[in-house]
Amino acid sequence: MSKEYWGFENENGDTGFLAGVVDVLTDNLPCCDFEYTLDADIFPVENNDISHINDTVKKRLHYYNRRYGINLPDEYIEGLHLKLEKVNNDAEKILCDIISCYSSSKDIPEKVGEFFRSLNWYLQKPTGIYVSQSIDNKNIEILGQVYLYMAFEYFFIAYDEWAVLFIFGTVL
């Protein structure tokens, strides 16, 4: 799903601006091979407390659901329960490794490096990477239906006051 400006009309200006930045920078990452795609979104994280990200994401998903006419029942989105754990890994390496699973491109490290140099200009350095504690098909199904068609995996890269969501899946 691309980030049209009206998708952020109920967000503050910083969030809308950074959503555009993330959207454009993600478009410059190496293309996934035909069957696969990736999407990204950014969420404010009040007081750097990632434990509240579930409610923040659900609020945005409810808005996208109404604004973009996705037509998921509200109780379906309310079923989202992100249980995240912080992993102590290099964000650039993790993104390279994951994109490599979905793309045969030879310039993945170069493009991912450019992505982080640009994103870090706006957000500084990542403070953590958060992955799902368990394979929860319900979360993947909900995120997939809102952002793509079907999602395979997701993770967050946290920054001071922000978290960038990466979702890999298919639009077929």
Side-chain angles (χ1 to χ4, degrees):
M1 178 178 79
S2 69
K3 312 297 182 286
E4 287 88 4
Y5 69 90
W6 61 81
F8 291 88
E9 65 192 359
N10 69 332
E11 300 276 354
N12 69 44
D14 289 343
T15 301
F17 173 77
L18 289 171
V21 167
V22 168
D23 197 42
V24 168
L25 293 177
T26 302
D27 287 346
N28 291 327
L29 285 170
C31 290
C32 294
D33 293 343
F34 174 69
E35 303 87 20
Y36 308 113
T37 191
L38 82 107
D39 202 356
D41 205 350
I42 188 167
F43 299 89
V45 178
E46 191 173 325
N47 300 319
N48 290 335
D49 187 356
I50 198 79
S51 68
H52 298 290
I53 195 71
N54 194 65
D55 292 333
T56 304
V57 171
K58 282 198 286 192
K59 180 180 174 189
R60 176 87 52 83
L61 296 184
H62 280 297
Y63 184 76
Y64 284 167
N65 190 36
R66 286 188 309 277
R67 189 63 168 126
Y68 294 112
I70 299 167
N71 298 319
L72 294 175
D74 284 341
E75 54 275 3
Y76 189 74
I77 292 173
E78 283 302 313
L80 184 75
H81 294 292
L82 300 171
K83 297 174 190 104
L84 302 172
E85 76 177 305
K86 186 175 184 177
V87 293
N88 294 322
N89 290 325
D90 178 75
E92 196 168 321
K93 181 181 178 341
I94 284 182
L95 191 55
C96 279
D97 290 348
I98 292 175
I99 290 175
S100 294
C101 293
Y102 299 102
S103 174
S104 58
S105 175
K106 302 296 182 214
D107 60 352
I108 293 171
E110 176 187 331
K111 293 292 188 180
V112 169
E114 289 173 14
F115 171 84
F116 277 107
R117 279 189 296 282
S118 297
L119 187 60
N120 292 352
W121 190 85
Y122 293 97
L123 300 175
Q124 305 306 309
K125 290 190 73 119
T127 59
I129 301 158
Y130 292 85
V131 298
S132 179
Q133 288 179 344
S134 64
I135 302 292
D136 186 339
N137 291 335
K138 180 83 169 170
N139 289 340
I140 290 172
E141 186 178 329
I142 292 167
L143 292 171
Q145 286 189 38
V146 173
Y147 285 97
L148 303 169
Y149 171 72
M150 181 185 301
F152 303 139
E153 62 183 303
Y154 65 93
F155 66 96
F156 290 86
I157 297 178
Y159 290 84
D160 284 338
E161 304 296 325
W162 301 98
V164 179
L165 168 65
F166 291 88
I167 305 169
F168 291 84
T170 184
V171 291
L172 297 177

